[in-house]
Amino acid sequence: MYANFVTSLDGVVALGPEYPSSGSAISGREPADRFVMGLLRAWADAVLIGAGTLRATPRHLWTPDHVCPQAAPDFRELRRSLKRSTQPRLVVVTASGDVPTAHPALQSGALVATTADGARRLEGRLPPTCAILTAVEGPALRMADVLMALHAQGHTAVLTEGGPRLIGHLLRQGLLDELFLTTSPVLAGRAGTSRPGLISGLELLPNQPAWTDLISARRRDSYLFLRYRLRTPSGGRALFR
């Protein structure tokens, strides 16, 4: 389970609901960042996002070639060499079932992970290219249950491009193995609006620090491309690999 984010120098990863596709604004659409996004998608069996991310990017497709079309032949060759399917499976997580069913990413096909109540709300509304995954009964949706269900379907390499709240859920349950973080040379600022950092809905310091090990660092011009491995509280590795 690995995550990919781009952040401003002052720690902003999203500009708020009034600014769709804020990741592109923070990265400045840097070609190297878009290549990294495509490469990480090309490696994945599945790309996991939350319904909020789906709503915030109304025309996006979570495929390698969508974000970096010039490298599409190389991405396809990589997937062939890894014996992956043609495209990674898009997985949208929603406890309530509130998703924009006309979104092109859903029209192209996705797996919607939801609760029993969410599944009832979505019944008959999703495109025929989509499937519903109900991992648990009741109003809560545990990411551990979702990931176990994905693993049962053969999706063992899962990339998340979900927002700060989804990352908080993954960290709370000790499910995140690695983090790929692009540091963009831009200052975003905050003034009267919610501009979250990497994690939302979970406080770690001072009582539950989530330490990481930096395992690679690369630079292109003024952009930094960092790869971290998370440590588990026991000092071992996270369960999902």
Side-chain angles (χ1 to χ4, degrees), residues 65-167:
D65 48 301
H66 180 84
V67 73
C68 189
Q70 62 269 35
D74 298 308
F75 294 151
R76 286 194 293 269
E77 180 57 34
L78 173 62
R79 294 191 68 77
R80 279 194 295 266
S81 70
L82 294 170
K83 296 182 171 54
R84 303 276 200 256
S85 59
T86 304
Q87 297 287 4
R89 182 68 155 157
L90 177 64
V91 182
V92 181
V93 178
T94 169
S96 66
D98 180 15
V99 296
T101 55
H103 195 292
L106 296 187
Q107 298 295 322
S108 297
L111 183 65
V112 180
T114 188
T115 60
D117 289 342
R120 284 189 285 271
R121 180 175 184 176
L122 287 168
E123 188 174 358
R125 296 180 55 238
L126 286 173
T129 51
C130 290
I132 293 178
L133 171 66
T134 51
V136 293
E137 292 288 336
L141 190 63
R142 294 182 66 251
M143 293 308 304
D145 296 326
V146 173
L147 289 180
M148 281 193 290
L150 292 179
H151 278 231
Q153 296 185 13
H155 301 315
T156 57
V158 181
L159 164 67
T160 179
E161 293 187 15
R165 188 163 293 278
L166 181 56
I167 291 294

Side-chain angles (χ1 to χ4, degrees), residues 5-8 10-18 22 26 163-165 188-190 193-201:
F5 269 91
V6 60
T7 178
S8 68
D10 51 337
V12 172
V13 301
L15 302 181
E18 66 272 30
S22 56
I26 294 170
R165 188 163 293 278
R190 295 178 176 91
T193 59
S194 174
R195 292 190 166 186
L198 183 65
I199 303 166
S200 180

Side-chain angles (χ1 to χ4, degrees), residues 227-240:
R227 180 183 180 185
Y228 295 92
R229 180 170 293 133
L230 278 89
R231 308 173 193 171
T232 62
S234 63
R237 296 301 180 199
L239 295 175
F240 290 90

